[in-house]
Amino acid sequence: METTLGDVWREVLSTQEEPERWIVLGAAVLALAAVLFTPVWRVARNVVTIAHEGGHALVALLSGRRLTGIRLHSDTSGVTVSRGRPTGPGMVLTVFAGYVAPSLIGLLGIVMLMSDRITALLWLSLAVLAAMLLMIRNIYGVVSVVATGAAVFLVSWFTPSEVQGAFAYLFIWFLLFAGVRPVFELQSQRRRRPSPQSDADQLARLTGVPGTLWVGVFALVNLAVTALGVWLLLF
């Protein structure tokens, strides 16, 4: 039977049953393992970089800056370039957004999961990735975003609702947990190889507040969001 656009739209807007408890818990364990097990983390961290740079890009646009491009690199670093005032609240918020974006996106995803909008969550993720793809300015970045989008699309289009639910919970658990580790990696890198281009050191120049304190703020925000997310999903 032919699938119409109306059928797709109704499916996206429909609600799906929450997976069984053991699936939710299993997804949490797998997501935490992906963050803690370094060989897996090196690959999975690309998803975090997409969320990180997406956070910079979104806040840049919301603060009135002009977004000119995003680059994602094979070492899981990235850069988002925007034009506008080099100082001021808009610039501060744009720089600040990156390290807290993955955890906050995870929390937003939890709100959708609690409303049983599993398919809508997956398709919203696809829409965000498609919009971000328009601003990617290097080949690796294109490959990274397309590969992530392809995985989400294949699950959302070709698998039953039970598989979609398990995948969605795994995805959101991962973002929730994965927001924390890069903050500690940032401070470790700052100790070994200080870089004036790190987000914390850019914020230090913009505000006069030491970079180490900004790292602490990143950590506090992400740990608090993670704790809230765990409570919402498990209790």
Side-chain angles (χ1 to χ4, degrees):
M1 184 173 65
E2 183 179 353
T3 301
T4 66
L5 182 59
D7 294 332
V8 174
W9 188 242
R10 281 190 293 273
E11 177 66 21
V12 171
L13 294 181
S14 66
T15 59
Q16 294 77 37
E17 291 186 9
E18 179 183 344
E20 295 183 36
R21 185 73 167 179
W22 70 268
I23 294 178
V24 175
L25 292 172
V29 172
L30 288 176
L32 185 59
V35 173
L36 296 178
F37 188 48
T38 298
V40 177
W41 172 247
R42 290 195 187 103
V43 177
R45 200 184 191 286
N46 285 282
V47 176
V48 181
T49 303
I50 292 172
H52 180 114
E53 299 305 328
H56 283 315
L58 177 61
V59 175
L61 292 173
L62 291 176
S63 62
R65 301 181 62 81
R66 185 164 66 87
L67 186 63
T68 59
I70 301 170
R71 290 179 176 270
L72 308 173
H73 303 134
S74 59
D75 63 355
T76 70
S77 65
V79 61
T80 297
V81 179
S82 62
R83 297 189 182 279
R85 288 186 58 192
T87 58
M91 188 62 186
V92 171
L93 290 172
T94 297
V95 176
F96 179 79
Y99 275 98
V100 299
S103 295
L104 291 176
I105 293 171
L107 186 60
L108 175 62
I110 289 173
V111 173
M112 297 188 70
L113 291 178
M114 293 178 69
S115 302
D116 297 327
R117 302 286 180 177
I118 293 172
T119 302
L121 170 63
L122 297 177
W123 280 72
L124 177 60
S125 301
L126 285 173
V128 171
L129 288 169
M132 191 171 176
L133 184 62
L134 298 176
M135 299 307 301
I136 298 295
R137 295 294 182 263
N138 67 324
I139 293 176
Y140 184 84
V142 170
V143 172
S144 184
V145 171
V146 168
T148 303
V152 175
F153 174 76
L154 290 173
V155 170
S156 65
W157 190 258
F158 292 107
T159 66
S161 58
E162 296 82 2
V163 176
Q164 291 184 33
F167 178 84
Y169 273 86
L170 176 63
F171 180 50
I172 294 306
W173 276 121
F174 175 74
L175 286 176
L176 200 63
F177 293 143
V180 177
R181 179 166 176 171
V183 177
F184 292 95
E185 291 177 339
L186 169 64
Q187 185 59 19
S188 177
Q189 180 182 5
R190 291 180 72 246
R191 286 198 303 266
R192 294 194 316 270
R193 298 191 306 274
S195 170
Q197 299 307 314
S198 77
D199 290 0
D201 292 290
Q202 289 185 62
L203 286 168
R205 291 197 301 274
L206 289 166
T207 65
V209 177
T212 301
L213 288 183
W214 282 111
V215 175
V217 172
F218 294 153
L220 285 174
V221 170
N222 289 351
L223 287 169
V225 170
T226 300
L228 176 60
V230 171
W231 182 78
L232 289 173
L233 285 175
L234 297 184
F235 304 98

